[in-house]
Amino acid sequence: QVQLVESGGGLVQAGGSLTLSCAASGGTFSTYSIGWFRQASPGKDSEFVAAINRRQPGVRYGDSVSGRFTISRDNAKNTVSLQMINLKPEDSGVYYCAGYYSVWGRPLQTASSAYDYWGQGTQVTVSS
C-alpha cells in the first residue's frame, strides 16, 4: 500500500500563491489516482479540491478552485503537486493528499469515500 506525506503549507496573503507537494512511498505510485481535499476547520466536511488520474492528462477540479489551482504528477519522482495561485481567505484549511488504486476505465473519483490512503495533512492559511 502507498504512504502519502504532504508538505508546502504555510501562511500567505490573499492573492498570493503556494505549491503543495505530496510524496508517496510504498506501492507502485503510477497505479494510484491521487486527489487533494481540504477541511476548513475541525468537524467540517472535507471539500474536494483536485484529482489526477494515474497518468496525465486526466484531472478534475472543484468548482471553487478551477482556474486557480493546477494539479500535476511526476511518476518518476513519486510526487503530486498542487499549484495554487490567487489564493483567497476561504482557501484556508488543512489540505490532505489521498490516493486509491486506479483501475483502467474507472472515472476519476471526487468523493473522499473513494480514497483509501491519506496523508496527515498540511495547513494552509490565507490572510486577508
Side-chain angles (χ1 to χ4, degrees):
Q1 69 185 48
V2 65
Q3 291 83 44
L4 303 170
V5 178
E6 304 93 337
S7 61
L11 173 64
V12 64
Q13 288 188 331
S17 62
L18 277 176
T19 297
L20 305 184
S21 293
C22 174
S25 61
T28 303
F29 181 67
S30 62
T31 62
Y32 290 86
S33 292
I34 302 294
W36 287 93
F37 294 82
R38 66 188 182 190
Q39 188 177 32
S41 59
K44 281 198 172 183
D45 290 339
S46 62
E47 176 188 5
F48 169 73
V49 175
I52 188 165
N53 221 331
R54 53 192 291 170
R55 292 181 181 176
Q56 296 184 217
V59 296
R60 294 187 67 177
Y61 295 97
D63 291 341
S64 63
V65 308
S66 183
R68 299 187 297 120
F69 291 13
T70 302
I71 189 171
S72 61
R73 69 187 296 160
D74 186 336
N75 286 340
K77 295 182 179 179
N78 290 0
T79 59
V80 169
S81 296
L82 183 69
Q83 183 183 17
M84 309 184 292
I85 65 172
N86 192 21
L87 284 161
K88 305 174 182 180
E90 52 264 41
D91 292 319
S92 298
V94 178
Y95 282 69
Y96 296 92
C97 172
Y100 65 90
Y101 179 76
S102 179
V103 177
W104 286 111
R106 183 186 184 193
L108 189 55
Q109 300 296 299
T110 62
S112 59
S113 58
Y115 290 74
D116 300 310
Y117 307 103
W118 292 79
Q120 82 290 347
T122 186
Q123 177 71 47
V124 172
T125 303
V126 184
S127 63
S128 58

